[in-house]
């Protein structure tokens, strides 16, 4: 099998799996909120995991809040910060039209509560223009959210510039960095965000654990009441998973530059070979900075689901977009926001490479596309 759906979920790293198994079996059973010896040991392990995450991200340990997913981190960032905003008269929320469905769901919830939402459209290349987003920041804006890298196209957004502008205007800035971790240098020393979301299963950790960084001085109202995580998230902490996330993040950060160079070269070779050997193919997001592992290709005259199934029968795993939106008949909101028609969006597939991708995989996928695309076109008439 060739697995090219790393943007949906990356396999758990062997070192992480081994460490997680050891922690579950031998790590003790104390609750980090208990005052006895077992509880103190659990608290020490949790604090150590928090400090490790903070070192990688360039923030303080107390700013790291563990969650159960990137989706929860996004919801806590937006809904929690909105409800805790110090100036309730500020009712404007600015975001982009190409955010992950988890974040757009939180935005829609706040809109129903009365938030005045502005969704800034990207250009045809999938990148939100800095000047367009900044023009939407008015004196009554409380919160702005812009993803670091898009999960479908891989397009990198101008988060550093927008973060600086928001800081100057007193607007809280959140970035969904779920698809940036392990693929780009990730540091809050470079991108001065107030809130940042991560999910472990995108960079070799287990599913079911994420992080929300909440910078000092920023308040968020807990979605689940409780004293844990500095009052930001109630519930007993999952210490083995917090440790697994910390280890996966350290490993991903350590190999990021080397892996990015290798995968970027393989991705470019893949796109070049497909464009040369298959007619009627366009790279969605071409011409702007993208994370090095992601290629979103549009096949004219092709129903993407049919091509995906044909590839799957050949043992090649790819996707039509966000995993959480798979199985729906609605075309990608990201591609539609870029100006593609519904037919063009449904004719697009995402190929996301990972650490296990090799040159031979590229040749096999290109050969499969060369065989299947004409057949799928013929069947579609």
């Amino acid at each position: 099998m060739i697995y090219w759906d790393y943007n949906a979920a990356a396999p758990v790293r062997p070192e992480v799996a081994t460490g997680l198994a050891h922690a579950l079996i031998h790590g003790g059973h104390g609750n980090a909120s208990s005052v006895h010896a077992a509880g103190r040991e659990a608290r020490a392990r949790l604090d150590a995991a928090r400090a490790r995450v903070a070192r990688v991200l360039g923030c303080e340990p107390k700013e790291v809040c563990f969650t159960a997913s990137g989706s929860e981190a996004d919801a806590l960032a937006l809904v929690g910060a909105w409800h805790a905003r110090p100036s309730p008269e500020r009712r404007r929320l600015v975001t982009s039209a190409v955010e992950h469905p988890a974040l757009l769901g939180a935005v829609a919830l706040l809109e129903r509560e009365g938030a005045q939402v502005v969704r800034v459209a990207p250009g045809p290349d999938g990148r939100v223009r800095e000047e367009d987003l900044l023009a939407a920041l008015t004196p009554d804006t409380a919160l702005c959210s812009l993803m670091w890298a898009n999960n479908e196209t891989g397009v990198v957004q101008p988060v550093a510039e927008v973060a600086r502008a928001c800081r100057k205007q007193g607007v809280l800035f959140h970035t969904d960095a779920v698809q940036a971790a392990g693929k780009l240098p990730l540091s809050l020393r470079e991108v001065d965000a107030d809130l940042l979301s991560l999910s472990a299963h995108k960079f070799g950790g287990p599913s079911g654990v994420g992080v929300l960084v909440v910078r000092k001085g920023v308040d968020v109202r807990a979605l689940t009441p409780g004293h844990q995580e500095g009052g930001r998230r109630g519930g007993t902490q999952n210490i083995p998973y917090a440790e697994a996330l910390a280890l996966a993040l350290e490993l991903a950060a350590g190999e990021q530059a080397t892996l990015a160079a290798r995968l970027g070269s393989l991705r470019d070779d893949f796109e070049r070979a497909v464009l040369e050997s298959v007619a009627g193919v366009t790279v969605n997001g071409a011409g702007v900075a993208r994370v090095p592992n992601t290629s979103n290709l549009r096949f004219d005259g092709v129903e993407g689901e049919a091509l995906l199934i044909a590839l799957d029968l050949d043992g090649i795993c790819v996707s039509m977009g966000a995993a959480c939106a798979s199985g729906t008949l609605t075309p990608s909101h990201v591609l539609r926001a870029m100006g593609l028609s519904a037919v063009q969006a449904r004719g697009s597939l995402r190929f996301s490479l990972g650490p296990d991708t090799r040159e031979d995989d590229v040749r096999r996928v290109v050969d499969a596309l060369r065989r299947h695309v004409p057949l799928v076109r013929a069947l579609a008439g």
Side-chain angles (χ1 to χ4, degrees):
M1 184 178 72
I2 295 176
Y3 184 78
W4 276 21
D5 201 16
Y6 280 83
N7 285 13
V12 177
R13 294 169 179 268
E15 309 96 316
V16 174
T18 300
L20 179 58
H22 185 274
L24 290 170
I25 297 171
H26 304 291
H29 309 290
N31 187 313
S33 297
S34 299
V35 297
H36 49 58
R40 294 195 301 274
E41 179 185 352
R43 168 60 65 179
R45 290 172 55 200
L46 184 63
D47 289 344
R50 204 183 305 279
R52 292 163 67 188
V53 172
R55 278 195 294 273
V56 174
L57 298 180
C59 63
E60 297 182 14
K62 289 184 178 180
E63 297 174 325
V64 175
C65 172
F66 289 109
T67 67
S69 65
S71 295
E72 184 194 347
D74 281 346
L76 179 56
L78 266 67
V79 179
W82 181 264
H83 288 162
R85 67 193 190 281
S87 303
E89 67 277 6
R90 288 193 172 198
R91 304 200 60 81
R92 190 178 181 92
L93 190 162
V94 176
T95 188
S96 84
V98 294
E99 299 295 309
H100 189 275
L103 189 130
L104 292 178
V107 169
L109 177 90
L110 295 175
E111 191 170 32
R112 290 192 294 271
E113 294 181 4
Q116 299 167 359
V117 176
V118 178
R119 298 172 179 84
V120 180
D125 54 16
R127 191 174 190 270
V128 177
R129 292 182 176 83
E130 177 188 349
E131 55 269 28
D132 292 344
L133 198 143
L134 297 187
L137 299 179
T138 57
D140 61 343
T141 303
L143 183 60
C144 175
S145 184
L146 180 65
M147 67 192 332
W148 199 311
N150 187 264
N151 51 299
E152 295 192 30
T153 63
V155 171
V156 179
Q157 305 296 345
V159 289
E161 298 84 351
V162 174
R164 283 194 293 269
C166 285
R167 179 75 63 195
K168 291 178 181 178
Q169 298 186 42
V171 175
L172 287 180
F173 178 70
H174 165 257
T175 184
D176 178 338
V178 167
Q179 291 293 341
K183 302 167 186 172
L184 300 171
L186 195 67
S187 173
L188 283 161
R189 297 187 183 94
E190 301 298 326
V191 175
D192 192 16
D194 298 293
L195 301 149
L196 178 144
S197 304
L198 293 178
S199 186
H201 75 291
K202 304 298 187 182
F203 48 83
S207 298
V209 59
V211 158
L212 175 65
V213 175
V214 183
R215 298 301 290 267
K216 185 187 299 182
V218 175
D219 190 20
V220 295
R221 186 175 299 173
L223 305 182
T224 304
H227 68 273
Q228 293 90 348
E229 297 301 298
R232 304 183 187 109
R233 182 181 188 268
T236 301
Q237 293 100 331
N238 191 335
I239 297 171
Y241 272 51
E243 293 173 323
L245 182 147
L247 176 57
L249 186 61
E250 290 171 335
L251 294 172
E255 68 180 20
Q256 183 272 319
T258 301
L259 185 62
R262 187 174 73 81
L263 292 184
S265 177
L266 289 175
R267 191 271 311 275
D268 292 346
D269 289 345
F270 166 68
E271 291 182 347
R272 189 179 306 110
V274 172
L275 293 174
E276 289 174 353
S277 59
V278 182
V281 181
T282 303
V283 179
N284 296 321
V288 294
R290 291 178 287 159
V291 289
N293 80 312
T294 304
S295 177
N296 193 299
L297 301 182
R298 182 172 82 245
F299 299 88
D300 294 341
V302 166
E303 182 62 43
E305 187 174 7
L307 181 56
L308 185 151
I309 292 171
L311 293 172
D312 186 40
L313 292 173
D314 263 0
I316 299 169
C317 301
V318 299
S319 74
M320 291 186 68
C324 61
S326 296
T328 68
L329 297 177
T330 305
S332 162
H333 72 280
V334 172
L335 300 181
R336 295 287 281 140
M338 292 167 59
L340 274 66
S341 69
V343 171
Q344 289 174 321
R346 284 195 292 265
S348 299
L349 292 182
R350 180 184 70 185
F351 303 81
S352 49
L353 290 59
D356 294 331
T357 302
R358 298 292 180 264
E359 290 182 7
D360 185 58
D361 299 334
V362 172
R363 288 191 290 271
R364 285 181 56 191
V365 176
V366 172
D367 287 343
L369 290 172
R370 188 183 295 117
R371 287 184 286 109
H372 290 306
V373 170
L375 293 175
V376 174
R377 279 185 178 142
L379 288 172

